[in-house]
Amino acid sequence: MLPSNKRTRTQRRSSAHRGAASAALAGLLLASTACGSDDAVQGAGPAVPDDLECFSGSLHGSGSSAQENAMTTWIAGFQSACEDARIYYDSIGSGGGRNQFIDGAVTFAGTDAAMDADENADAVSRCGGSDTINLPAYVVAIAVVFNLDGIEDLNLRPDTVAKIFNQDITRWNDPEIAEDNPDADLPDLAITQVNRADDSGTTENFTRYLADAAPDSWPHEADGQWPITPRESAQGNSGIADTVSRADGAIGYVEMSHLHGLPAASIGVGDEFVDISPEAAAKVVADSPRREENTSEYDLALDLDYGTTEPGSYPLVLVSYETVCLDFPDQGEAERVKAFLRYVVSPEGQEAASEETDSTPVNDSLREDLLTSIEAIGS
């Protein structure tokens, strides 16, 4: 039997999805107000393309909480222009979204970790015999947030971040932290590490960064589930932000739109420390190749270089995907998801999300590839 922190996603799915399918419809109905509203958008709905294609009926998705604020914006924009469309998104976490997609409870999954080979095999039946494709529609930096009274700026090298979250560095005045923060009055205070309680793509990206950038200090494989017994844990990005904000001495990781006023550490890259920003995150994504195990030319999952030392790059980046069938069993389902995804990847959709979340809009080259993949979706 595999150790708990090295189970495959498929093994985790078999235990984690019990009861998920029966609860899916109730969750999706709640999502119409929780995530399908325009509460995150002020005034009129976000801008939409002049050639936006509307549909009548409903579209259901679930998954990544990192995408929650962006998805709220996209739904508001689409529904403000298309009165007969109803789009529901339940931000239950990436693992839950992939599970519900595989089980056929939703049409698309928002996920911060692309489907792996086992999950794709599990989804073949749901997709009527076709493979899945992963479309990188949301790019955002992951912030290392902290709560230290009187301290707003903090420099952390990759090895220091890894040792803190592995609970090897346990107090804020530790010499390793103090060395890179000579002007900070670091307290003799216990560090409270806060990690995700749910199966999370943000966690998988964060732990992949730790494994790649600090392999000597992070003795764990990248995984969507936290690999060690936590000091504190919370559900979703918002849960981590809330927990950190209420606990002096706490530190956690959230995608950038969930900062909630918390300060974010500057991350060591080579000989410098780089502040979190969409521009610095974009440098990492721009040169990233496709993943070798992608299912087809239409699967656009990326292989990010989390260990980059390129000056000015912010390597703690999350690329969040919309995962769909290449061929849906139902033509109406295919047409609805295609119409919505065209808007999501459009310049207007990407800019609207960026204004709300500080995400990095996809560049023109990636957008062209995304549109080619969306047009290939059939039934």
Side-chain angles (χ1 to χ4, degrees):
M1 182 175 179
L2 291 171
S4 60
N5 64 317
K6 296 187 179 180
R7 292 176 293 165
T8 66
R9 286 190 196 150
T10 301
Q11 287 171 312
R12 293 199 300 271
R13 191 181 77 84
S14 65
S15 60
H17 90 297
R18 293 191 186 108
S22 62
L25 290 179
L28 290 169
L29 290 173
L30 289 173
S32 66
T33 55
C35 298
S37 70
D38 59 356
D39 290 346
V41 183
Q42 301 299 319
V48 299
D50 292 336
D51 60 351
L52 180 71
E53 295 181 25
C54 294
F55 64 81
S56 298
S58 61
L59 175 65
H60 300 280
S62 67
S64 165
S65 68
Q67 285 190 40
E68 180 178 3
N69 294 332
M71 192 62 68
T72 300
T73 302
W74 290 326
I75 290 171
F78 196 92
Q79 291 187 162
S80 68
C82 302
E83 295 181 355
D84 294 328
R86 291 293 176 267
I87 303 171
Y88 304 87
Y89 183 80
D90 194 359
S91 57
I92 59 174
S94 295
R98 294 193 302 269
N99 292 342
Q100 289 193 353
F101 172 74
I102 290 169
D103 292 338
V106 294
T107 302
F108 71 95
T111 174
D112 308 334
M115 295 269 278
D116 64 24
D118 289 339
E119 289 171 318
N120 180 67
D122 287 345
V124 166
S125 175
R126 180 263 182 275
C127 290
S130 83
D131 285 320
T132 59
I133 57 175
N134 301 279
L135 306 177
Y138 183 65
V139 178
V140 68
I142 299 174
V144 177
V145 293
F146 60 93
N147 181 355
L148 286 173
D149 188 31
I151 297 177
E152 295 294 323
D153 300 307
L154 190 68
N155 295 327
L156 295 176
R157 297 188 185 278
D159 281 291
T160 308
V161 177
K163 291 174 184 177
I164 288 172
F165 281 93
N166 200 45
Q167 301 176 21
D168 296 320
I169 293 178
T170 60
R171 302 196 73 79
W172 279 109
N173 63 345
D174 186 280
E176 190 163 328
I177 302 175
E179 181 180 357
D180 292 319
N181 297 276
D183 298 328
D185 185 16
L186 296 167
D188 183 9
L189 177 69
I191 298 174
T192 301
Q193 301 89 350
V194 185
N195 61 264
R196 288 281 288 272
D198 50 326
D199 189 345
S200 157
T202 307
T203 296
E204 183 158 345
N205 280 269
F206 183 60
T207 56
R208 190 173 300 282
Y209 161 76
L210 296 177
D212 288 356
D216 294 334
S217 302
W218 184 254
H220 313 284
E221 294 182 359
D223 201 286
Q225 291 183 332
W226 194 248
I228 60 177
T229 301
R231 289 284 305 276
E232 293 286 345
S233 61
Q235 189 85 10
N237 280 277
S238 294
I240 285 188
D242 180 63
T243 302
V244 172
S245 68
R246 290 186 289 104
D248 189 26
I251 189 170
Y253 56 94
V254 297
E255 65 88 11
M256 198 169 175
S257 74
H258 289 80
L259 284 173
H260 297 179
L262 289 165
S266 300
I267 300 299
V269 178
D271 295 328
E272 65 178 348
F273 291 94
V274 180
D275 295 340
I276 188 170
S277 73
E279 296 76 20
K283 292 186 178 183
V284 177
V285 177
D287 297 327
S288 295
R290 302 275 174 84
R291 198 179 57 167
E292 289 185 2
E293 62 269 31
N294 284 0
T295 59
S296 70
E297 63 183 303
Y298 302 114
D299 185 359
L300 305 182
L302 301 174
D303 186 9
L304 295 176
D305 182 10
Y306 294 96
T308 182
T309 57
E310 185 70 21
S313 296
Y314 184 87
L316 240 176
V317 175
L318 181 151
V319 174
S320 198
Y321 300 89
E322 315 309 333
T323 295
V324 296
C325 301
L326 184 56
D327 289 306
F328 282 92
D330 177 76
Q331 182 177 358
E333 192 175 30
E335 292 304 320
R336 288 191 292 274
V337 77
K338 288 171 70 174
F340 181 57
L341 291 181
R342 288 189 195 103
Y343 170 58
V344 165
V345 305
S346 71
E348 292 84 356
Q350 289 290 300
E351 286 298 332
S354 180
E355 289 175 5
E356 289 295 324
T357 68
D358 283 328
S359 61
T360 301
V362 299
N363 61 31
D364 291 340
S365 176
L366 180 53
R367 178 180 294 107
E368 184 176 342
D369 290 343
L370 286 164
L371 288 171
T372 298
S373 294
I374 290 169
E375 293 310 311
I377 298 170
S379 62

